[in-house]
Amino acid sequence: MAVVALSTMATSSAATAGDIELGRYLSSECTTCHGAAKTDSTIPPIHGLDQKHFVEVLKAYRAKSLPNEAMRTVAGRLQDDDIAALAAYFAAAKPR
Ligand code: HEC
């Protein structure tokens, strides 16, 4: 029995504007590392990051053209829509 989800139907606009609620949902994985702004950490803060930069960096990790293994693994699981959503969420989000 094949179950095919027609998930692309409602997402035609998501390529340009990220869905902040989706980004919030996906962000829990990121904030385990990119949590509060800790000054003694080697993990860079990503809250308030410029959306364009954010998207470029995540796609570069996904394409394995940036070196960090953890980020390659994380980014490898993301679709373009997920990256846009995360960019929109983190651009507006404040660290807790
Ligand atoms: C296992 C820990 C870990 C997780 C989980 C993680 N990251 Fe990262 N991330 C890092 C580290 C470490 C770096 C810095 C890598 C380097 O400097 O080479 C980084 C770098 C980044 C950068 C680049 C920041 C800059 O200023 O250029 C972005 C953007 C980013 N991560 C977004 C995310 C997003 C979005 C998620 C969730 C989908 C995520 N990360 C999950 C550890 C993590």
Side-chain angles (χ1 to χ4, degrees):
M1 187 175 75
V3 179
V4 179
L6 297 172
S7 60
T8 53
M9 282 180 67
T11 57
S12 55
S13 66
T16 44
D19 178 343
I20 288 188
E21 284 310 315
L22 175 63
R24 189 193 312 279
Y25 169 73
L26 294 169
S27 71
S28 60
E29 180 184 14
C30 320
T31 49
T32 55
C33 287
H34 299 278
K38 293 188 220 105
T39 48
D40 63 340
S41 172
T42 56
I43 300 173
I46 60 171
H47 295 79
L49 214 58
D50 175 69
Q51 289 195 45
K52 193 164 169 289
H53 171 78
F54 192 105
V55 169
E56 282 170 5
V57 168
L58 267 273
K59 287 185 177 174
Y61 280 121
R62 191 174 62 181
K64 302 206 188 301
S65 52
L66 281 174
N68 187 271
E69 266 316 311
M71 283 307 302
R72 285 179 171 187
T73 304
V74 167
R77 290 196 289 263
L78 299 173
Q79 306 298 314
D80 285 0
D81 284 355
D82 299 333
I83 292 175
L86 284 161
Y89 171 72
F90 277 111
K94 293 196 166 48
R96 282 177 233 185

